[in-house]
């Protein structure tokens, strides 16, 4: 397969952009090859600048529930542009969007739009701290909540000591209030709360983690979070940047039957535009400026073009909820197909799935937390990625990313992917 134009662009990009990319995962560094550059995409397919077409399971990392460039969304967008791109004063569509999100998510009364998932989680934590008057927050190992300082914390498993920054540039002082607990571990959670619960402003969690592969929270774990947060008057924040409007139209509330105090959204609510949002019950959101003293603002927050596409995306999902059943069926078909291949090839690997998120772990299961996930054979995954790419299947260039399915992925796409998965696994393991 020819990648010469991508290679040219990459060497040019390296001169002007750190690592040649605007987000690290795009560099394909983790799989040891130079990245492909996108030219266009439609439906389930993405085409690179050398004209190679792939079945796309990256799908912009989650926002594209209807696939690439769906007509349902793009109609009317040029009209919007002709009316102005951004005003800096309030618009009707922001009110409509907020109403839609609040109506869809029965735990919240109000929502504030921001420009990314990172901004949403960062702001929600500030609000939770302002509301409770407490400083500490608790996150889970392997969960990613964007790149704000206080959330970039690495932690040895089982630690209940102060966090240690994962990245240079994050002062230890900033993360000293970030506690880290093992995912899906109710005992450790209770222990941390027994020792420090009165000081914990918020627990932030991915109900299904999509950042250590796909690792679903166990129902009893999510229920325990609710119970413990109630006991200690800690704000429970669901980071639904990946799961929001993906697991179900009512997101994790429908999926787990548990309501948080606050929620963060991103990705799907922008349909591919740079959007995030955080929301909560009115008494919590009342601390946000200009009503309350907690400051949070944004020049482009609630941008009319982003609201237009995001709102259309949500309207489609609200009015076509059978799509969730259909995506579930397709994702199950893909997961089962991969499992059968593993059986045929006698490979002891694990497939996790939650809704339309699927992940093949190159390790024996069960994979229920970060320690389980890091047992994967990364070299084998990297070789597998390259084989799949050669067969025109684009999956995440990292073991720890999900495969994202969309309405546009056909049964034929999935059958083709299962066949390629078999061939790639066979080749990588010299079978
Ligand atoms: N939260 C979760 C669960 C995410 O997966 C991500 C990004 O992938 C973020 C927050 C950060 O969102 P963004 O990349 O839009 O800043």
């Amino acid at each position: 397969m020819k990648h010469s134009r991508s290679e040219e662009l990459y060497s040019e990009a390296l001169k002007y952009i750190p690592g040649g990319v605007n987000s690290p995962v795009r560099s394909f560094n983790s799989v040891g090859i130079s990245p492909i550059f996108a030219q266009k995409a439609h439906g389930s397919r993405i085409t690179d600048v050398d004209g190679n077409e792939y079945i796309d399971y990256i799908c912009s990392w989650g926002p594209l529930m209807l696939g690439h460039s769906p007509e349902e969304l793009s109609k009317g967008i040029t009209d919007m542009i002709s009316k102005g791109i951004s005003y800096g004063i309030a618009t009707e569509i922001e009110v409509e969007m907020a109403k839609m999100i609040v109506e869809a998510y029965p735990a919240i009364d109000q929502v504030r739009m921001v420009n990314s998932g990172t901004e949403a989680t960062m702001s929600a934590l500030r609000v939770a701290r302002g509301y409770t008057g407490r400083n500490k927050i608790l996150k889970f190992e392997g969960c990613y909540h964007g790149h704000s300082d206080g959330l970039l914390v690495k932690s040895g498993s089982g630690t209940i000591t102060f966090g240690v920054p994962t990245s240079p540039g994050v002062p230890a002082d900033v993360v000293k209030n970030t506690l880290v607990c093992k995912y899906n571990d109710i005992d450790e959670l209770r222990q941390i709360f027994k020792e420090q619960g009165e000081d914990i402003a918020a627990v932030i969690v991915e109900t299904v983690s999509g950042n250590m592969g796909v690792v679903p929270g166990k129902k009893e774990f999510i229920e325990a979070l609710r119970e413990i947060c109630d006991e200690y008057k800690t704000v429970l924040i669901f980071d639904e940047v990946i799961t929001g409007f993906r697991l179900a139209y009512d997101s994790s509330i429908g999926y787990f039957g548990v309501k948080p105090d606050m929620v963060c959204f991103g990705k799907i609510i922008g349909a591919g535009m740079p959007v995030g949002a955080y929301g909560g019950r009115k008494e919590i959101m009342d601390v946000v400026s200009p009503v309350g003293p907690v400051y949070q603002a944004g020049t482009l927050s609630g941008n009319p073009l982003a609201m237009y596409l995001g709102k259309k995306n949500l309207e489609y999902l609200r009015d076509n909820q059978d799509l969730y059943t259909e995506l579930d069926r397709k994702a199950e078909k893909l997961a089962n197909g991969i499992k059968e291949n593993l059986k045929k090839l006698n490979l002891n690997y694990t497939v996790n799935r939650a809704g339309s998120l699927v992940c093949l772990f190159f390790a024996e299961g069960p994979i229920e937390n970060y320690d389980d996930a890091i047992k994967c054979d990364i070299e084998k995954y990297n070789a597998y990625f390259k084989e799949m790419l050669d067969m025109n299947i684009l999956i995440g260039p990292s073991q720890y990313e999900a495969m994202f399915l969309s309405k546009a992925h056909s049964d034929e796409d999935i059958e083709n992917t299962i066949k390629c998965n078999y061939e790639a696994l066979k080749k990588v393991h010299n079978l």
Side-chain angles (χ1 to χ4, degrees):
M1 187 178 285
K2 196 175 100 193
H3 291 299
S4 51
R5 183 64 189 137
S6 277
E7 279 159 18
E8 268 168 33
L9 282 175
Y10 185 47
S11 50
E12 189 74 349
L14 282 170
K15 292 185 209 157
Y16 304 110
I17 308 174
V21 288
N22 283 317
S23 196
V25 73
R26 291 178 209 168
S27 77
F28 288 23
N29 252 353
S30 48
V31 287
I33 57 173
S34 77
I36 55 169
F37 279 63
Q39 185 184 60
K40 61 178 182 180
H42 189 75
S44 63
R45 309 294 168 117
I46 190 161
T47 306
D48 70 16
V49 286
D50 289 288
N52 305 304
E53 189 183 270
Y54 308 88
I55 301 177
D56 182 17
Y57 290 99
I58 292 181
C59 281
S60 187
W61 304 111
L64 313 177
M65 283 291 274
L66 309 184
H68 289 283
S69 53
E71 256 175 44
E72 292 93 333
L73 303 194
S74 51
K75 252 185 269 161
I77 191 80
T78 44
D79 250 22
M80 286 297 291
I81 294 172
S82 69
K83 287 185 202 157
I85 290 177
S86 180
Y87 310 111
I89 59 172
T91 55
E92 184 173 354
I93 197 164
E94 291 167 82
V95 185
E96 293 167 354
M97 181 69 165
K99 188 173 173 201
M100 273 202 83
I101 295 177
V102 165
E103 282 179 358
Y105 203 81
I108 63 171
D109 301 312
Q110 294 195 332
V111 65
R112 172 65 69 81
M113 301 306 302
V114 292
N115 304 287
S116 67
T118 296
E119 250 190 86
T121 56
M122 178 187 79
S123 308
L125 287 171
R126 185 181 306 146
V127 168
R129 282 173 160 143
Y131 173 71
T132 57
R134 301 173 182 176
N135 280 336
K136 291 187 179 172
I137 55 155
L138 187 141
K139 77 179 281 285
F140 295 92
E141 244 184 323
C143 286
Y144 175 68
H145 304 290
H147 64 91
S148 68
D149 283 356
L151 285 165
L152 272 189
V153 181
K154 180 168 145 191
S155 170
S157 78
T159 182
I160 52 168
T161 53
F162 292 138
V164 176
T166 297
S167 166
V170 177
D173 260 9
V174 173
V175 294
K176 70 176 191 215
N177 287 312
T178 304
L179 308 174
V180 182
C181 176
K182 203 173 191 170
Y183 195 66
N184 272 329
D185 189 331
I186 299 174
D187 291 342
E188 185 171 296
L189 182 68
R190 282 198 197 286
Q191 188 58 34
I192 294 175
F193 265 89
K194 218 166 131 192
E195 291 170 13
Q196 312 187 56
E198 306 290 335
D199 300 323
I200 301 177
V203 170
I204 185 161
V205 67
E206 283 184 88
T207 53
V208 172
S209 180
N211 287 292
M212 46 177 154
V214 175
V215 180
K218 294 182 182 168
K219 192 164 190 298
E220 57 272 25
F221 171 68
I222 304 297
E223 285 168 353
L225 286 173
R226 182 64 280 169
E227 203 182 292
I228 292 168
C229 284
D230 281 344
E231 190 183 334
Y232 287 87
K233 297 188 170 30
T234 293
V235 175
L236 177 59
I237 306 173
F238 283 178
D239 176 351
E240 302 235 33
V241 168
I242 287 182
T243 50
F245 297 95
R246 177 168 285 279
L247 294 178
Y249 187 68
D250 52 359
S251 308
S252 292
I253 296 182
Y255 198 78
F256 290 97
V258 175
K259 288 184 186 174
D261 302 302
M262 293 188 79
V263 63
C264 300
F265 292 113
K267 304 198 190 253
I268 290 170
I269 62 161
M273 296 292 278
V275 177
Y278 66 93
R281 292 199 313 275
K282 183 162 183 324
E283 77 206 66
I284 299 176
M285 296 302 278
D286 271 349
V287 305
V288 180
S289 180
V291 180
V294 174
Y295 194 69
Q296 183 274 313
T299 300
L300 298 176
S301 296
N303 170 273
L305 296 185
M307 295 302 95
Y308 182 78
L309 284 173
K311 184 170 158 262
K312 283 199 133 194
N313 211 19
L314 296 194
E315 277 166 357
Y316 185 93
L317 296 172
R318 181 195 61 196
D319 299 341
N320 296 278
Q321 291 189 40
D322 49 347
L323 174 62
Y324 291 101
T325 320
E326 184 55 8
L327 280 176
D328 237 38
R329 182 190 68 75
K330 286 189 210 166
E332 182 73 355
K333 177 172 172 159
L334 177 63
N336 283 342
I338 298 175
K339 281 183 199 166
E340 272 169 38
N341 289 344
L342 293 173
K343 218 189 263 173
K344 276 189 229 159
L345 295 166
N346 225 353
L347 292 169
N348 214 354
Y349 294 160
T350 311
V351 181
N352 278 4
R353 180 181 81 86
S356 51
L357 302 166
V358 177
C359 183
L360 163 60
F361 289 95
F362 280 57
E364 200 177 332
I367 309 272
E368 296 178 342
N369 56 43
Y370 180 74
D371 287 342
D372 296 337
I374 57 169
K375 287 183 196 141
C376 288
D377 187 333
I378 300 300
E379 270 178 33
K380 286 265 180 347
Y381 180 86
N382 294 351
Y384 167 75
F385 169 86
K386 287 178 224 162
E387 292 301 329
M388 292 294 271
L389 195 71
D390 269 351
M391 289 186 277
N392 300 79
I393 312 279
L394 181 63
I395 56 174
S398 156
Q399 166 69 85
Y400 300 112
E401 303 289 356
M403 292 174 84
F404 292 92
L405 271 82
S406 75
K407 171 177 178 269
H409 288 89
S410 64
D411 280 290
E412 204 187 335
D413 286 337
I414 288 167
E415 283 151 22
N416 188 0
T417 306
I418 293 168
K419 268 190 213 142
C420 295
N421 164 268
Y422 181 82
E423 292 306 322
L425 286 174
K426 216 171 128 186
K427 200 148 178 204
V428 164
H429 297 88
N430 299 316
L431 297 169

